[in-house]
Amino acid sequence: MAAPGALLVMGVSGSGKSTVGALLASELGWKFYDADDYHPEENRMKMARGIPLNDQDRIPWLCNLHDILLRDVTSGQRVVLACSALKKMYRDILIRGKDGAALKSEDLGEEEKPGDVQLFVVHLSGLFEVISGRLLQRKGHFMPPELLQSQFETLEPPAAPENFIQISVDKNLPEIIATIMETLKTK
């Protein structure tokens, strides 16, 4: 497999995606995007009211993120994206754009299409109690802690054949970054 053009730092709200992603991008000298910055206002308002997003809310947002990744990667810019990407289908959309939404995993051949983004997934995982505790300390974010349970229910952790590593949020930040950097050397 070719070296990834983009790194996805994924996980439920409060797992540390933005912090890890920004630090990783800085360390690598890559561009950083926080997917939360690209939510349409309707999505933000819905979450702020305590209503979980559904696929219809997320798919256009994910297609937009795919287009941003593809534009940057095609121009030679490597990218780190912090995005919940809770379902396999959502990660497929980040890789393939709207085509990822239409296809089931088993329909996909291993061959890459010109519009595919080489994506390496870093899944920040942890126990509900640990992440819930973090969310309760977070101030000024549009995602209320009450929605965390719905995120855990939606979560489909990455699995083969996805290109990924899973890292526990119990590790400290320097350990998480070092583990990712070590893994990237072998990609």
Side-chain angles (χ1 to χ4, degrees):
M1 154 161 187
L7 275 177
L8 166 65
V9 181
M10 65 154 289
V12 297
S13 186
S15 60
K17 300 179 295 291
S18 299
T19 303
V20 170
L23 197 54
L24 199 55
S26 172
E27 188 90 11
L28 291 165
W30 295 11
K31 193 165 186 176
F32 174 68
Y33 290 103
D34 190 329
D36 283 348
D37 296 340
Y38 294 86
H39 268 298
E41 194 53 38
E42 309 82 67
N43 285 9
R44 290 173 180 270
M45 288 171 21
K46 191 172 182 178
M47 287 184 281
R49 290 193 309 268
I51 303 168
L53 298 181
N54 58 34
D55 289 352
Q56 289 69 34
D57 299 321
R58 288 187 176 111
I59 289 173
W61 168 67
L62 291 163
C63 286
N64 181 40
L65 292 169
H66 163 79
D67 293 345
I68 292 167
L69 292 177
L70 186 62
R71 177 197 68 209
D72 281 10
V73 169
T74 303
S75 73
Q77 173 67 59
R78 290 183 155 196
V79 179
V80 176
L81 172 67
C83 178
S84 53
L86 297 173
K87 290 183 178 180
K88 167 93 170 74
M89 178 182 81
Y90 301 164
R91 296 185 295 275
D92 288 344
I93 294 170
L94 290 173
I95 293 168
R96 295 182 186 84
K98 63 183 181 328
D99 294 340
L103 298 169
K104 298 277 181 273
S105 312
E106 53 274 6
D107 297 339
L108 298 173
E110 286 304 304
E111 73 282 355
E112 292 174 24
K113 315 287 184 303
D116 286 1
V117 174
Q118 276 294 334
L119 194 64
F120 181 70
V121 179
V122 175
H123 176 210
L124 299 177
S125 67
L127 296 174
F128 178 86
E129 297 73 24
V130 172
I131 294 174
S132 178
R134 288 178 171 194
L135 273 183
L136 291 171
Q137 295 171 1
R138 189 159 78 174
K139 304 286 180 244
H141 195 275
F142 61 82
M143 174 78 173
E146 301 78 53
L147 288 180
L148 183 60
Q149 185 59 48
S150 72
Q151 291 217 324
F152 269 92
E153 290 165 3
T154 302
L155 178 64
E156 295 172 5
E162 289 181 271
N163 189 17
F164 75 99
I165 60 169
Q166 182 169 306
I167 301 177
S168 171
V169 299
D170 294 336
K171 292 180 182 260
N172 65 38
L173 199 50
E175 284 180 296
I176 290 172
I177 299 299
T179 302
I180 298 167
M181 297 298 283
E182 236 359 84
T183 303
L184 285 176
K185 289 179 186 172
T186 65
K187 293 291 162 199

